[in-house]
Amino acid sequence: MSTAIPWSVKPHPVTGIPNAKLGIWLFLASEVMLFGALFSSYILIRTGSEQWPMGRTILNIPLATLNTVILITSSVTMVMAWASLKMNQFGKFKLFQTLTILLALGFMVVKAFEYGGKLHHYEVTLVEGSEAADKAGALKITGHIDHATAGNGGAITSWIRSRDDLHDGKISFVADPPAGSHEHPAAIELAAEDMERLTFFGPHRDTFFAVYFTLTGLHGIHVLGGIVVLLYFLLPGSRMWRTDPERFTGRIECTGLYWHFVDLVWIFLFPTLYLL
Amino acid sequence: MTDTHPNGSPGAREAHGGGHGETSFLWKYVFSQDHKVIGIQYGITGLCFLFFGFTLMMLMRWQLAYPNQPLPWPWLAELLGNIRAPGGVLEAGFYNQLGAMHGTIMVFLGVVPIAVGAFGNYVVPLQIGAPDMAFPKLNMASYWVYFCGGVIMLASFFVPGGAASSGWTSYPPLSNIATQGQTWWLVGMVFLITSSLLGSVNFIVTIVQMRAPGLSMFRLPFFVWAQLVTAFLLLLAFPPLEAAGVLQLMDRVFGTSFFLPSGLVVNAIPYAQTTGYSGGGSALLWQHLFWFLAHPEVYVLILPAMGIVAEIVANNTRKPLWGYRLLVYAAIFLGFMSFIVWAHHMFMTGMGTVMSTFFQTTTMIISIPSVIILTCMILSLWGGSIRFSIPMLFALAFLPMFAIGGLTGLPLGLTLSDLHLHDTYYVIGHFHYVVAPGTIMALFAGIYYWYPKVTGRKMSGLLGHLHFWPTLILMNSIFMPMFFMGMAGLNRRMYDQTVYVHGRGVQPLSLMVSWSAWMLAVAQIPFIINFFKSWKAGEKVNDNPWEATTLEWAAPSPPPHGNFTTLPEVHRGPYEYSVPGQSGDFCPQHARPDSASEGTPSAPPVPAAH
Amino acid sequence: MDPVKFGYWFPADVSTHGPSVDLLIDYVHYLAVALFVGWGIFMLYCLIRFRQRPGHKAQYELPHFKGSKYAEVAVALIELVLLLGFSIPVWASIRYELPRTDAPDKVVVRCIAEQFAWYFWYPGPDGEFEPASADRIKPSNPLGLRDPSRDAVSKDEFHFPVNRPIVVYVTSRDVIHGFNIPLMRVKHDAVPGLNIPIWFQATKTNDEIFAAMSPERLRIGPALVGRKEPYIAMEAVKAADGSDLLKSGDTFVFGEALVKGLTGAGVQELSVKLKFPVELACAQLCGNGHSGMRAAVSIDTEEQFAAFIAGKMAK
Ligand code: HEM
Ligand SMILES: [Cu+2]
Ligand SMILES: [Cu+2]
């Protein structure tokens, strides 16, 4: 008797689907539990916090909207890629698969810009009663660092993560425009000793950013994983089309299911993080 | 099965065809995709980890029996080194590492890999008449991911500060501020979780899609049902722990505060001053995520054991199981309920009355299916013709041992009685009765039972008796005293229980526990000898030495690549023993109703299971 | 009062709610033992009667066991009674009743746990807790109070009066600890970020418990070095050179010198009593010092308690 695995291509007469498709659905069920647990944690932390910033006041909505459009489009091209195989048009499949990958990469590039913006956006907590605090009129100001000089007078060009990176130097700090305006106030000089805490908008800044970076980061890893799989089936994996087209089509279908799920997660992330 | 093979291209190694030539040692035994080889790999690795986890515990038992006295053998102290055992005395931090790693290794690297990875992998495809698991490559990947997870866990003992030391539960903030070993633990867990997820997908697909013709769901052996429910638990309960692990990694690596509330003061210095952390997290969040996994995990530890015992009880009583359908329904109900009892581990954290009422009620409800399963198995003995084979002895011992474990769970599930018993040795006694004299006995039963299938040889009965009786007695003299220690108020995870007057009061019991544990190690020697010796020198037996009915016995011993020489077809339920009007006392699932060869008369087909 | 013994089921119990806890534990165990014995007898009977032997054959047709169904329903009912009749109502009363109602004679204490110490913080005569801030923490002001002289703070020694409701706000400032007094059936996690009130009431004073406690024979060994709790010697011990090491009735603390002296004098066991026989233990793993994280509990008479607070305020 042959040892080939039954129902690895043909649908099982009772369940109506082949093995791989059942497998991917089960995998997605576990993914739902994973993101479900993370969303629940988010809700728990948010309801337990004293104050929670509105995502739209800190995050970049236009970029995120662009990304939403990109990702939804990529889901469409993914479906087209699979449909092309179904219609036996391998050339078209290659085209749509490539498009999907390009869109996914586009998503990651936009994401990188978004992350980059956060990593170069700073918050300074000034020492209570210091001259700088008087001048700034507030204890906490946000903005970006125009340039920084170390204690010995040399310029600091590397990325500044905390006050310690200043080496007792000072920064020229450009505060964000006040609400309702687009004009940045003039830069102010802040010495290291004026500051209690200097931090960029990274995951450690507060629980909002912790949630933001963790959820979008994990989603980004899923996108990257998707890109790897898509590339595999575009290049070396596509050889199977010649030997076993039916199985190949099945694999593209499963990839598509995964890809739609990744898309769906983003559809949840976008409103909960950016809008609410 | 005339499916054309994937990658039919010449030379593709993954070609799964039986008898293809390219079988170097490496591909046949190391990176094998055959479920039987993978099962054996899981089994051997799991047994090694089980023994290692037990060794850690034997070390701890020295400190507990003889607090702050140097270890009895200088070479041992030397081996541990001056940091772990200065002057030969176990250091408190190292003791905590041993405790945390004992728990982690026993649960995630020992019992689950044996119960699911080894028995599930080896037996399930055979029992459902399939040539292999649905995704052989994924199966191999599961094993190797598990293996990497194990290596990471072991390696963590050698990083600065040693292994994780915050208990197998890793409660933050303690685990957040712990040494680097905790990060290794988290990464190791991510590997183990991934492995379990891959495995569970594979199991479910295999059981749902690949049953032999005629093998309807209610003709499945109970063991397969148990594995199916287990796979669902792994699939759905592990992701939340993965989420928790990711959050704790973020806390430890990127300085977030998911589990750190505001205003912490560590070593009398505000934590924000030393680390710049933001606060705003919740310490209890971890506990919710952790126990959402870890309670279903308890059933992952016990369900496969129940499955093994059911097979052996049916086989050795020579009659159908009592209430097969009831068993199946109870197992499914158990699996479902296990997702909504998790907070009974958190009664002392200050939850409101509504929450505590809900969770004690669900906990009482979940005890009912356990009582049903146990009752069914015991009633199955009635009217049998009971053979006291070695597997049967272990399976019979499982029943009262699991009963003790289950019954002592009741006072822990009621908030009022949990008040006194929570976090004491009573808890340790309770869950060990479930997993050690319970599950471990069942795993031994399984090893003795399926050994002839794997090797074509039986293990020695004399050595089996020498293994069974001391193990049974010692298991009890280890864990029974713990109930009394807990009753006296002695807390668990104590480096030195003689600090407290109630601890000193039960110190003699502690000595008894320690000596029993060390003797238990000695009692395993007959097993180890038996296990290795019988591989080559055991009594040769036929393909169905126990005269069993389920499909794995229809395959040759050991089964070849692809398992069955002829495609099995199933005609009846799993436990058709002593069917009236037949000559033999068993009627295999695959025996044709019309053939007289297996002692089956040409009578009308026997009805399916009950 | 009964002698204080350990290892034979429950230890002594000196709280008002304790008996209901013990009662429920007993009842659950009656149920458990009854089930276990029932199963066990049935199982043994089957194993003997239905053992394999020549001429004996298994029955395929299964008898219909009504009994099992009745037994399962009975178990469910008993569990229901235990749940609804005991656990839920009593738990609700011991956990929630007092902090809400205003008992005039209650004593309010704050307990703050840290690695590896317990702080008990009592309001001064004004009945108010001083504001506290982590920035002010220093050895002389371990809780960072605004004015430490206005409140009483005790480290590792928990005093409260007998026969009065005690409300304790339990919290931690680093990791999770467990506030546990086994002899009073009191247990609650001390969770950082949460400040949870629990309450209890003692029925015996320290002195009464001390009198009822039989002396224990302590093994002299290295584990005793570093113990901070005071003991009272119940026998006299002479050193190797004939001088007095301990006189009967002495209050003492084990130290390296004393342990060395005792070992030198060939003493293997020493008859002692704990000065504070009721102990508070940490019930949650909290780090390397977890098992040593104990506090003495002193259940005082009104006068003793007043004197204790006055003594702490004077400091
Ligand atoms: C048969 C030999 C075994 C012995 C003698 C043994 C003994 C112990 C003891 C004495 C403790 C309590 C340590 C403490 O509180 O300080 C403990 C903890 C534990 N054991 Fe075992 N055990 C055995 C087998 C197992 C098995 C088979 C499992 C799991 C499947 C297991 C899982 C655990 C867990 C999860 C803990 C809690 C660890 C923690 O505190 O974080 N043990 N064991
Ligand atoms: Cu549980
Ligand atoms: Cu503690």
Side-chain angles (χ1 to χ4, degrees):
Chain A
M1 178 206 163
S2 151
T3 52
I5 306 298
W7 317 120
S8 56
V9 177
K10 295 259 180 291
H12 185 280
V14 176
T15 58
I17 47 176
N19 294 345
K21 202 158 163 189
L22 179 58
I24 199 82
W25 277 116
L26 290 167
F27 172 70
L28 293 183
S30 87
E31 291 279 283
V32 167
M33 292 302 286
L34 175 68
F35 280 99
L38 288 169
F39 270 105
S40 317
S41 308
Y42 163 42
I43 293 169
L44 210 125
I45 286 185
R46 180 165 180 172
T47 50
S49 67
E50 281 145 29
Q51 47 113 2
W52 193 264
M54 283 303 204
R56 60 170 171 271
T57 59
I58 332 183
L59 300 177
N60 194 327
I61 303 230
L63 278 189
T65 315
L66 172 65
N67 251 350
T68 311
V69 175
I70 291 181
L71 218 48
I72 291 179
T73 318
S74 80
S75 257
V76 175
T77 55
M78 185 75 233
V79 174
M80 306 286 275
W82 172 67
S84 316
L85 285 183
K86 275 278 185 203
M87 293 179 297
N88 225 342
Q89 294 166 319
F90 190 61
K92 262 183 142 179
F93 157 75
K94 287 222 149 180
L95 172 70
F96 283 119
Q97 184 90 340
T98 313
L99 269 178
T100 312
I101 294 170
L102 287 179
L103 286 165
L105 286 172
F107 177 89
M108 293 309 288
V109 170
V110 173
K111 199 87 232 158
F113 272 107
E114 212 189 315
Y115 272 22
K118 292 289 158 286
L119 302 187
H120 289 101
H121 193 197
Y122 286 84
E123 179 187 79
V124 194
T125 314
L126 297 166
V127 176
E128 222 172 329
S130 67
E131 215 175 297
D134 283 349
K135 248 198 300 188
L139 273 185
K140 267 190 187 178
I141 39 177
T142 57
H144 60 268
I145 297 176
D146 194 44
H147 59 267
T149 19
N152 59 15
I156 301 174
T157 48
S158 58
W159 178 40
I160 297 164
R161 276 158 307 176
S162 72
R163 215 179 58 133
D164 296 344
D165 291 343
L166 296 183
H167 303 292
D168 298 324
K170 46 187 192 271
I171 49 174
S172 159
F173 193 78
V174 182
D176 290 334
S181 134
H182 285 286
E183 237 154 90
H184 286 279
I188 45 174
E189 288 267 298
L190 293 174
E193 63 261 26
D194 296 333
M195 297 178 242
E196 202 157 292
R197 184 183 187 212
L198 172 68
T199 168
F200 62 94
F201 281 55
H204 61 283
R205 183 190 171 246
D206 56 20
T207 35
F208 173 81
F209 277 99
V211 167
Y212 165 76
F213 276 104
T214 309
L215 283 177
T216 55
L218 203 64
H219 176 258
I221 290 176
H222 277 77
V223 174
L224 280 179
I227 293 177
V228 171
V229 174
L230 289 168
L231 265 177
Y232 173 78
F233 285 125
L234 178 67
L235 302 170
S238 68
R239 258 181 319 187
M240 192 198 283
W241 173 254
R242 272 172 285 139
T243 54
D244 194 350
E246 202 179 346
R247 184 184 295 266
F248 184 69
T249 313
R251 294 201 168 174
I252 295 301
E253 188 182 3
C254 290
T255 314
L257 285 174
Y258 169 79
W259 193 249
H260 300 322
F261 173 79
V262 173
D263 193 3
L264 190 72
V265 170
W266 179 257
I267 304 282
F268 273 94
L269 283 178
F270 177 53
T272 42
L273 288 178
Y274 290 80
L275 304 181
L276 293 176
Chain B
M1 303 300 104
T2 45
D3 263 337
T4 44
H5 194 272
N7 296 20
S9 49
R13 187 183 56 249
E14 57 175 326
H16 212 72
H20 61 97
E22 213 188 320
T23 44
S24 68
F25 180 82
L26 194 65
W27 297 113
K28 201 164 164 196
Y29 295 110
V30 183
F31 296 107
S32 169
Q33 295 173 20
D34 185 316
H35 73 103
K36 297 181 292 298
V37 178
I38 296 174
I40 294 170
Q41 289 174 328
Y42 263 117
I44 305 272
T45 321
L47 280 172
C48 290
F49 274 118
L50 207 60
F51 189 74
F52 182 66
F54 183 45
T55 311
L56 300 185
M57 182 42 66
M58 287 196 286
L59 260 181
M60 295 170 74
R61 288 305 325 174
W62 175 264
Q63 162 68 20
L64 290 173
Y66 304 104
N68 298 18
Q69 289 184 33
L71 291 162
W73 301 306
W75 62 265
L76 188 54
E78 211 149 292
L79 184 76
L80 294 175
N82 222 17
I83 298 176
R84 301 185 187 95
V89 180
L90 286 190
E91 192 260 335
F94 181 56
Y95 176 90
N96 285 345
Q97 292 171 35
L98 291 176
M101 296 310 281
H102 161 75
T104 308
I105 288 174
M106 283 300 200
V107 173
F108 296 110
L109 291 165
V111 173
V112 175
I114 297 177
V116 179
F119 284 115
N121 248 312
Y122 200 98
V123 177
V124 165
L126 285 169
Q127 280 197 334
I128 64 172
D132 204 315
M133 297 285 271
F135 310 113
K137 261 186 269 181
L138 200 66
N139 203 13
M140 177 188 80
S142 311
Y143 172 75
W144 285 107
V145 173
Y146 152 69
F147 189 85
C148 292
V151 170
I152 291 173
M153 289 288 183
L154 290 184
S156 74
F157 273 104
F158 302 100
V159 304
S165 58
S166 311
W168 83 291
T169 50
S170 281
Y171 280 4
L174 182 63
S175 52
N176 269 27
I177 64 178
T179 54
Q180 194 189 335
Q182 180 65 25
T183 307
W184 286 66
W185 187 89
L186 289 166
V187 173
M189 283 308 294
V190 169
F191 273 79
L192 297 177
I193 292 170
T194 309
S195 157
S196 279
L197 287 179
L198 299 181
S200 59
V201 169
N202 216 340
F203 275 108
I204 298 173
V205 174
T206 306
I207 296 172
V208 170
Q209 303 268 96
M210 291 173 47
R211 280 167 288 126
L215 189 55
S216 62
M217 288 308 271
F218 278 108
R219 283 177 174 180
L220 283 178
F222 184 64
F223 177 76
V224 179
W225 269 109
Q227 290 285 346
L228 183 64
V229 176
T230 303
F232 269 106
L233 295 184
L234 287 174
L235 184 77
L236 300 178
F238 254 134
L241 183 65
E242 187 156 30
V246 168
L247 297 184
Q248 203 179 88
L249 272 175
M250 288 296 290
D251 275 8
R252 291 181 56 88
V253 178
F254 292 102
T256 57
S257 300
F258 285 110
F259 302 123
L260 298 177
S262 311
L264 291 186
V265 179
V266 178
N267 292 328
I269 305 169
Y271 196 55
Q273 244 173 52
T274 45
T275 62
Y277 92 119
S278 69
S282 155
L284 294 184
L285 171 61
W286 168 271
Q287 297 189 19
H288 283 292
L289 294 171
F290 180 86
W291 287 114
F292 189 86
L293 154 89
H295 192 87
E297 179 75 14
V298 175
Y299 293 94
V300 170
L301 296 172
I302 196 68
L303 274 170
M306 289 172 169
I308 293 172
V309 170
E311 297 302 298
I312 294 171
V313 164
N315 175 256
N316 285 280
T317 54
R318 316 304 296 162
K319 59 180 278 299
L321 279 183
W322 192 88
Y324 166 81
R325 270 179 193 252
L326 196 59
L327 276 172
V328 170
Y329 292 137
I332 294 173
F333 185 60
L334 205 67
F336 174 74
M337 287 300 291
S338 71
F339 283 102
I340 49 169
V341 296
W342 79 90
H344 63 204
H345 298 271
M346 299 168 62
F347 283 147
M348 299 302 137
T349 56
M351 61 174 76
T353 5
V354 179
M355 274 255 276
S356 76
T357 303
F358 176 78
F359 283 106
Q360 11 183 356
T361 311
T362 53
T363 304
M364 289 302 112
I365 293 174
I366 205 175
S367 70
I368 302 291
S370 309
V371 169
I372 291 178
I373 290 180
L374 201 58
T375 308
C376 286
M377 301 238 200
I378 291 178
L379 288 181
S380 295
L381 300 175
W382 185 274
S385 171
I386 300 170
R387 302 197 297 211
F388 292 99
S389 61
I390 301 292
M392 185 61 166
L393 289 180
F394 279 95
L396 286 174
F398 168 89
L399 299 174
M401 296 298 104
F402 172 66
I404 296 178
L407 291 170
T408 50
L410 290 179
L412 300 171
L414 295 165
T415 42
L416 186 62
S417 37
D418 188 43
L419 179 62
H420 182 53
L421 301 174
H422 182 80
D423 258 323
T424 63
Y425 263 88
Y426 191 93
V427 178
I428 304 286
H430 150 67
F431 74 72
H432 279 84
Y433 257 98
V434 176
V435 292
T439 301
I440 300 262
M441 290 301 241
L443 295 181
F444 279 134
I447 292 176
Y448 284 98
Y449 183 65
W450 279 303
Y451 194 88
K453 182 54 38 191
V454 179
T455 62
R457 292 167 193 272
K458 238 180 180 159
M459 289 171 83
S460 144
L462 175 68
L463 286 172
H465 278 281
L466 279 180
H467 177 212
F468 172 72
W469 294 102
T471 301
L472 178 64
I473 293 166
L474 290 168
M475 283 281 192
N476 281 282
S477 64
I478 293 174
F479 296 113
M480 188 56 78
M482 292 190 184
F483 293 127
F484 293 86
M485 294 157 81
M487 237 1 140
L490 180 64
N491 288 325
R492 63 193 281 202
R493 294 169 168 176
M494 284 291 206
Y495 169 65
D496 177 3
Q497 64 184 57
T498 63
V499 167
Y500 295 97
V501 61
H502 54 268
R504 294 192 288 273
V506 292
Q507 183 61 16
L509 293 180
S510 189
L511 269 167
M512 173 174 167
V513 172
S514 290
W515 277 100
S516 304
W518 300 325
M519 273 154 49
L520 183 65
V522 179
Q524 303 314 302
I525 292 175
F527 171 73
I528 296 170
I529 295 176
N530 205 350
F531 189 84
F532 287 108
K533 225 183 102 198
S534 307
W535 203 280
K536 288 270 173 279
E539 177 200 341
K540 266 207 163 116
V541 289
N542 66 13
D543 289 346
N544 188 2
W546 309 112
E547 306 182 302
T549 49
T550 42
L551 284 185
E552 76 268 35
W553 305 103
S557 303
H561 191 60
N563 291 346
F564 294 93
T565 36
T566 50
L567 174 69
E569 206 172 300
V570 172
H571 302 282
R572 57 186 66 76
Y575 308 117
E576 293 299 296
Y577 290 101
S578 302
V579 183
Q582 294 192 353
S583 50
D585 75 344
F586 71 110
C587 189
Q589 286 191 279
H590 63 281
R592 283 183 190 287
D594 52 350
S595 87
S597 62
E598 305 261 5
T600 320
S602 45
V606 189
H610 311 264
Chain C
M1 162 174 190
D2 296 336
V4 181
K5 274 198 205 152
F6 300 98
Y8 309 88
W9 217 237
F10 298 114
D13 176 5
V14 295
S15 67
T16 49
H17 70 273
S20 60
V21 177
D22 295 359
L23 195 70
L24 178 63
I25 295 181
D26 275 342
Y27 280 1
V28 179
H29 281 90
Y30 294 150
L31 171 69
V33 169
L35 269 174
F36 187 75
V37 169
W39 275 332
I41 290 176
F42 181 84
M43 189 172 153
L44 281 179
Y45 176 78
C46 289
L47 293 186
I48 295 166
R49 179 167 158 204
F50 300 108
R51 70 190 182 281
Q52 189 183 46
R53 55 191 185 273
H56 174 72
K57 212 171 163 325
Q59 296 160 248
Y60 176 82
E61 280 303 329
L62 304 155
H64 196 68
F65 286 103
K66 272 238 175 70
S68 79
K69 213 163 276 166
Y70 292 142
E72 273 149 22
V73 172
V75 171
L77 282 180
I78 295 173
E79 284 181 3
L80 200 69
V81 171
L82 294 178
L83 188 65
L84 297 180
F86 289 83
S87 190
I88 292 175
V90 182
W91 175 257
S93 83
I94 65 175
R95 282 291 292 110
Y96 299 102
E97 239 151 56
L98 192 109
R100 287 199 202 137
T101 60
D102 245 348
D105 59 344
K106 74 177 174 191
V107 177
V108 180
V109 190
R110 288 193 181 172
C111 169
I112 293 155
E114 72 165 14
Q115 288 176 324
F116 302 98
W118 298 96
Y119 291 102
F120 301 95
W121 175 13
Y122 305 80
D126 56 358
E128 303 267 326
F129 289 98
E130 273 289 287
S133 154
D135 298 327
R136 284 192 288 260
I137 291 175
K138 50 180 186 267
S140 62
N141 185 7
L143 298 184
L145 307 187
R146 191 176 58 192
D147 180 356
S149 70
R150 293 170 64 94
D151 284 354
V153 175
S154 161
K155 185 182 176 190
D156 289 341
E157 215 177 286
F158 182 23
H159 286 252
F160 55 86
V162 72
N163 290 334
R164 270 167 69 178
I166 316 296
V167 179
V168 187
Y169 285 81
V170 182
T171 189
S172 160
R173 63 188 195 198
D174 42 36
V175 305
I176 297 176
H177 300 271
F179 182 95
N180 175 211
I181 310 176
L183 291 199
M184 298 191 64
R185 313 289 186 266
V186 168
K187 185 177 285 162
H188 202 279
D189 286 355
V191 185
L194 300 178
N195 202 10
I196 299 160
I198 59 172
W199 79 276
F200 47 82
Q201 182 167 339
T203 56
K204 295 280 187 306
T205 64
N206 197 37
D207 299 337
E208 287 169 300
I209 302 164
F210 184 85
M213 188 157 115
S214 37
E216 57 172 321
R217 301 203 51 88
L218 259 190
R219 271 184 60 97
I220 304 303
L224 289 178
V225 180
R227 292 285 167 76
K228 291 177 296 240
E229 67 273 19
Y231 288 90
I232 297 189
M234 301 309 285
E235 63 181 336
V237 184
K238 289 220 184 301
D241 62 5
S243 62
D244 277 341
L245 257 180
L246 283 174
K247 289 201 288 284
S248 183
D250 271 0
T251 303
F252 68 95
V253 173
F254 283 104
E256 199 152 1
L258 182 59
V259 174
K260 222 182 229 161
L262 287 168
T263 326
V267 180
Q268 285 185 346
E269 286 190 342
L270 182 68
S271 186
V272 297
K273 278 190 181 184
L274 259 183
K275 179 157 182 237
F276 297 109
V278 181
E279 293 177 300
L280 189 151
C282 181
Q284 280 284 0
L285 180 63
C286 59
N288 296 356
H290 164 61
S291 82
M293 186 167 159
R294 75 188 276 294
V297 175
S298 178
I299 308 172
D300 293 347
T301 59
E302 292 296 332
E303 300 76 46
Q304 286 168 331
F305 183 63
F308 162 76
I309 294 289
K312 286 285 170 197
M313 297 295 300
K315 268 217 285 189

